[in-house]
Amino acid sequence: MARLHNLVKYVFAEAPIMIAILTGPEHKLSFANSLFLQTIGTTKRKVIGTRLGDALPELKDLEMHWDTVYRTGVPHLDHERHLRLDYGNGEGEDVYFNFVYQPIKDRKGRTEAICVYAMEVTTQVRARKRYSRQRQRLLNQQTAQLKSQNTELKELNKSKDEFIALASHQLRTPATGVKQYLGMILEGYVGPMLPAQEEFIVQAYESNERQLSTINDLLQIAQIDANKIVLDAVACDVTSLVKAVAKEQRGNIERRRQAIAMHQEGREKVTAWADPLRLRMVLDNLVDNASKYSRENTTITITVHATEKEAVIQVTDQGIGIAERDFARLFQKFSRIDNPLSIVVGGNGLGLYLAKKIIDAHKGKIDVSSVLHQGTTFTIRLPRPKEV
C-alpha cells in the first residue's frame, strides 16, 4: 500500500501537466508538482503550507473561482486565463493557462480540498492572436481597397449617367426633327406618294417613334439614377387615371385581337398621393407589356381598390406567364426574360426598372405574381392622402 501511495505521489509529481492541491477554505497549498512550481516561478519551501493567493499575489484573481468550487462542490474550467508572472527578471511576462478546479470531497460529500490542474497555452494563444492581427490587417487592407474601388465605381457610374443623359439629349433633337419631317410627308405637304413610298415612310415613322421612346426612357433612367427625379404629388384620382389609360390603350389592344377591362371594388373613387404623370407612365408600361406578352383572344384587366392606408392597382393578363425564378430579374436595368414572345415584341429592358423606381419614389410597392401559361398580375400599392 505504501508502495502504491509512493507511486501515485511520484506520478503526480512528475506529471506533464501542472497539479496542485489547495486545502480548506483558506486554499492553503498542501501539494504542488514540479511543473506547477517551475511554471509559476517559485519553490516548494516558499509556498507549501501557505495561503496560495497571499504567497503569490499574481494568482489572487483566481481565488473567486476557488471559493465558488469549495462552496458549491462543482468543478470549474477557467479557459485561457491571463496571468503576469515574474520569473526573476523584474519585468513580468504575460502567460496564459487553462485551469480545471476539481473539488475533493470527504465520505460525507463535503468539499475539503481542491485539486488544480493547469496547462500552459501561451504559445497557442499568442499564435491565435498573431493570426487574428494578421487577418485584421488583411481585412483592413481589403476594406480600404474596396472603399477605393467603390469610390471609383461611383465616379464611373456618375460619368456613365452624365454620358447617357448627354447622348440621349443630343439624339432626341435630331430624332424629333426626323419625326416632324416624316409626319409632314405623310400629311401630304410635299405632294402625293405612291403606295410603296407611303409604306416605307410609315415604317420609318414607326421606327423613329420606337427610337424616341428608348431615348426618353434613357433620359428618365439617367434622372432617376442621379436622384434628380422630382415628383409633383397630389391627391390623384386613380379611378379616372386608370379609365384614361384603358381608353388610350384600347385601340392598340384591339388591333392585337385582345380586350381590356377595368374593374373597381366599391363605388367611391380611389385616391392616392401620387404624381399623375409619373403614375400614368407606369400604368402605360404595365398595360402595354400585358398586351405584348399575351396571345390573341385574351383579356387584360385593371382592378382598383382601396384599403385604409393604400390605393391598390392590379394589372392582370392571361398571357404566357413568368417563371418564379425570373421574378428577381424583372425590375433590373436592361433585363429581359426569355420567352416565346420576347423576340417578337422587342424592347429595351428599361420599362419595369423605371416603373419600380417611380413607385419606390412614391414610397409605394410594386409586386408580381404569375403562373406559367396562365397569366401575370402586377400589383401597385401607393399611400393614400392623409385627409382621405
Side-chain angles (χ1 to χ4, degrees), residues 8 19 92 100 114 133 137 140 143 185 192:
V8 170
I19 302 176
V100 176
I114 299 172
R133 287 194 297 269
R137 281 197 298 270
N140 291 340
T143 300
I185 293 173

Side-chain angles (χ1 to χ4, degrees), residues 9-251:
K9 186 175 181 181
Y10 172 80
V11 170
F12 272 49
E14 302 301 325
I17 64 171
M18 299 164 58
I19 302 176
I21 296 178
L22 308 180
T23 306
E26 299 85 8
H27 314 306
K28 291 182 178 180
L29 184 62
S30 59
F31 171 82
N33 70 351
S34 300
L35 185 59
F36 186 94
L37 296 171
Q38 177 185 346
T39 302
I40 64 175
T42 186
T43 63
K44 180 184 293 188
R45 185 175 56 190
K46 180 179 179 182
V47 296
I48 294 297
T50 66
R51 184 183 176 100
L52 187 58
D54 293 338
L56 296 171
E58 52 266 52
L59 304 183
K60 194 76 173 178
D61 290 342
L62 306 183
E63 284 190 342
M64 60 179 180
H65 298 305
W66 305 336
D67 290 338
T68 302
V69 173
Y70 193 87
R71 185 180 69 254
T72 64
V74 178
H76 176 75
L77 170 63
D78 197 4
H79 183 66
E80 293 185 0
R81 163 65 65 168
H82 168 251
L83 296 175
R84 190 169 181 82
L85 298 180
D86 186 356
Y87 291 121
N89 56 13
E91 296 181 359
E93 183 177 341
D94 292 316
V95 289
Y96 297 86
F97 296 91
N98 286 340
F99 285 103
V100 176
Y101 309 120
Q102 180 71 41
I104 299 175
K105 301 181 181 181
D106 60 18
R107 292 182 179 180
K108 294 184 179 181
R110 294 174 300 192
T111 301
E112 58 182 2
I114 299 172
C115 187
V116 179
Y117 303 93
M119 179 175 291
E120 186 175 357
V121 290
T122 304
T123 302
Q124 296 92 318
V125 171
R126 287 176 178 172
R128 190 186 71 246
K129 289 188 174 184
R130 185 164 54 250
Y131 169 76
S132 296
R133 287 194 297 269
Q134 292 172 347
R135 187 169 179 269
Q136 188 60 50
R137 281 197 298 270
L138 180 60
L139 287 174
N140 291 340
Q141 292 172 357
Q142 292 175 337
T143 300
Q145 185 178 7
L146 287 173
K147 286 182 178 178
S148 176
Q149 291 174 343
N150 185 52
T151 301
E152 292 177 6
L153 287 173
K154 285 182 178 179
E155 290 297 325
L156 288 172
N157 194 52
K158 181 181 178 181
S159 299
K160 178 263 299 179
D161 291 338
E162 291 173 350
F163 170 77
I164 290 176
L166 178 61
S168 300
H169 180 75
Q170 295 298 323
L171 286 170
R172 186 166 60 173
T173 300
T176 302
V178 170
K179 176 182 178 180
Q180 291 174 345
Y181 284 119
L182 290 174
M184 291 173 66
I185 293 173
L186 289 173
E187 291 292 331
Y189 282 94
V190 294
M193 293 181 291
L194 296 174
Q197 291 174 327
E198 184 175 0
E199 182 182 351
F200 287 158
I201 295 297
V202 168
Q203 290 180 358
Y205 186 89
E206 290 177 350
S207 295
N208 180 260
E209 280 278 82
R210 290 193 294 272
Q211 181 186 28
L212 279 170
S213 176
T214 299
I215 291 171
N216 288 331
D217 284 346
L218 288 171
L219 283 171
Q220 292 284 345
I221 295 298
Q223 283 184 326
I224 288 174
D225 287 347
N227 294 319
K228 292 182 179 179
I229 184 172
V230 178
L231 297 179
D232 186 13
V234 295
C236 174
D237 183 350
V238 174
T239 304
S240 298
L241 183 63
V242 167
K243 287 180 179 178
V245 170
K247 182 178 179 180
E248 184 176 300
Q249 294 267 9
R250 182 168 280 109

Side-chain angles (χ1 to χ4, degrees), residues 210-372:
R210 290 193 294 272
Q211 181 186 28
L212 279 170
S213 176
T214 299
I215 291 171
N216 288 331
D217 284 346
L218 288 171
L219 283 171
Q220 292 284 345
I221 295 298
Q223 283 184 326
I224 288 174
D225 287 347
N227 294 319
K228 292 182 179 179
I229 184 172
V230 178
L231 297 179
D232 186 13
V234 295
C236 174
D237 183 350
V238 174
T239 304
S240 298
L241 183 63
V242 167
K243 287 180 179 178
V245 170
K247 182 178 179 180
E248 184 176 300
Q249 294 267 9
R250 182 168 280 109
N252 287 333
I253 290 172
E254 289 178 349
R255 278 193 291 274
R256 294 168 181 157
R257 301 179 186 275
Q258 299 165 345
I260 185 169
M262 187 253 179
H263 174 69
Q264 178 179 324
E265 297 179 9
R267 296 183 177 180
E268 294 185 3
K269 68 179 181 181
V270 176
T271 309
W273 188 252
D275 182 331
L277 180 62
R278 303 283 186 178
L279 181 56
R280 181 158 186 162
M281 289 173 56
V282 173
L283 292 174
D284 280 335
N285 179 269
L286 294 180
V287 173
D288 188 50
N289 278 353
S291 176
K292 286 179 178 178
Y293 293 103
S294 297
R295 303 190 187 279
E296 295 181 356
N297 302 315
T298 57
T299 300
I300 293 99
T301 304
I302 311 176
T303 305
V304 178
H305 73 273
T307 66
E308 182 179 350
K309 296 182 179 181
E310 295 177 324
V312 183
I313 308 169
Q314 293 182 305
V315 178
T316 303
D317 63 52
Q318 298 172 325
I320 58 178
I322 305 166
E324 188 174 352
R325 66 177 180 272
D326 293 325
F327 284 4
R329 294 174 50 205
L330 281 175
F331 301 104
Q332 293 178 3
K333 196 188 303 184
F334 302 113
S335 177
R336 300 192 65 216
I337 307 302
D338 291 332
N339 59 59
L341 295 180
S342 60
I343 297 178
V344 177
V345 302
N348 53 35
L350 293 174
L352 289 177
Y353 175 81
L354 184 59
K356 187 176 189 311
K357 287 293 185 178
I358 289 174
I359 297 303
D360 287 347
H362 283 82
K363 300 190 183 306
K365 295 180 180 179
I366 180 169
D367 298 307
V368 61
S369 60
S370 184
V371 178
L372 281 175

